[in-house]
Amino acid sequence: MSIIQLKNISKIYNPDTIPVYALDKVNLEIQEGEFTAIVGPSGSGKTTLLNMLGGLDLPSEGKILINNTDLQSLSSKQLIDFRLYNIGFVFQDYSLLPVLTAKENVEFIMQLQNRSKAEYEKRAIELLDEVGLGERIHNRPSKLSGGQQQRVAVARALATKPKFILADEPTANLDSKSTNDLLDIMKKMNKESNITFIFATHDQRVIDKARRVITIDDGAIIKDEINTSVA
């Protein structure tokens, strides 16, 4: 089932002077359960593309449909609410709140959804246990390694039961062991729970584990391949 459709998407800066195309007539569909990497050199447009997928930016031309919802038809508040309930984000810098514990960081986004205390506490503990941090739930980010902080970020992204997870260079600040551990966790969730993951990355370790690799350059998709060696 297609959960994301980009139709002739362009993002144009300086349209009235010398136009710069960050994206140029991009067409893309993402199916439920994909484990996909978007790759390309710096300045190629992959982060702009990820921002489009996440509704963090809107196109100059074209249409974005997520679960058949046209993002351009939403007001600013509706778009914020839509992201809250439909999209999970994992960032390069973890973006955890330093004054909160691991458990509280995961709970916070569910509190924004007005879930009951019993529900968000239970889910936070379950998710942190699933990412291997069951014994560190009361630690603040400063007491966690980079890899552990990124696991908290993954748990937080999953907490809202989103339609898909967007991960922007999630392994950039991690060593090899932490990277492999994190990717194994996400791969397991993808396989067992059919959770859709979409990465923007330079990291060959991520690319090697992706079932689909989309290459972008100069704002256009130049290659879209299935990695047949990945289960």
Side-chain angles (χ1 to χ4, degrees):
M1 182 180 74
S2 177
I3 57 173
I4 300 172
Q5 294 175 292
L6 302 188
K7 299 184 176 183
N8 286 314
I9 292 297
S10 293
K11 184 65 178 180
I12 309 168
Y13 296 101
N14 306 321
D16 298 324
T17 53
I18 302 174
V20 176
Y21 282 76
L23 294 175
D24 189 7
K25 295 182 174 59
V26 170
N27 289 282
L28 177 65
E29 287 196 24
I30 301 289
Q31 306 297 318
E32 184 178 14
E34 285 196 23
F35 202 82
T36 294
I38 299 170
V39 304
S42 296
S44 62
K46 64 181 182 297
T47 296
T48 303
L49 179 56
L50 205 74
N51 289 341
M52 295 289 168
L53 296 173
L56 297 172
D57 198 0
L58 294 175
S60 307
E61 299 172 353
K63 183 176 286 190
I64 302 173
L65 298 175
I66 296 179
N67 271 14
N68 294 317
T69 296
D70 182 350
L71 295 194
Q72 290 99 309
S73 71
L74 303 178
S75 68
S76 294
K77 184 181 186 309
Q78 287 172 329
L79 187 56
I80 290 169
D81 288 342
F82 186 84
R83 286 197 299 263
L84 177 62
Y85 285 91
N86 291 278
I87 307 170
F89 295 92
V90 180
F91 300 102
Q92 178 178 337
D93 63 356
Y94 323 133
S95 295
L96 301 178
L97 295 171
V99 298
L100 301 182
T101 65
K103 176 172 170 283
E104 290 166 342
N105 265 283
V106 178
E107 290 173 343
F108 179 69
I109 196 162
M110 292 183 282
Q111 292 171 2
L112 296 177
Q113 291 182 320
N114 294 316
R115 296 198 193 185
S116 70
K117 183 177 180 181
E119 182 182 5
Y120 67 65
E121 284 192 338
K122 180 175 182 289
R123 182 155 175 78
I125 292 169
E126 288 174 348
L127 285 170
L128 287 167
D129 188 57
E130 194 168 351
V131 299
L133 292 177
E135 296 180 355
R136 309 299 297 271
I137 64 173
H138 298 302
N139 287 78
R140 291 184 180 178
S142 62
K143 299 298 183 182
L144 299 172
S145 69
Q148 289 169 336
Q149 289 184 63
Q150 198 62 297
R151 291 192 204 184
V152 176
V154 170
R156 180 185 58 191
L158 290 164
T160 59
K161 299 181 180 178
K163 298 290 185 285
F164 57 93
I165 304 287
L166 295 176
D168 190 4
E169 300 284 5
T171 60
N173 296 323
L174 304 184
D175 60 32
S176 292
K177 183 180 186 307
S178 296
T179 292
N180 289 330
D181 289 346
L182 183 71
L183 289 172
D184 286 344
I185 287 167
M186 291 190 283
K187 195 75 174 179
K188 180 173 181 285
M189 292 174 168
N190 171 254
K191 286 183 176 180
E192 295 181 357
S193 303
N194 204 36
I195 295 166
T196 305
F197 285 89
I198 306 165
F199 301 85
T201 185
H202 287 99
D203 192 335
Q204 191 62 45
R205 296 167 296 186
V206 179
I207 297 167
D208 288 343
K209 287 186 179 290
R211 282 197 295 272
R212 181 182 181 188
V213 180
I214 297 166
T215 304
I216 187 169
D217 199 8
D218 290 333
I221 292 174
I222 59 171
K223 196 180 294 183
D224 188 346
E225 298 177 305
I226 301 300
N227 187 352
T228 56
S229 67
V230 176

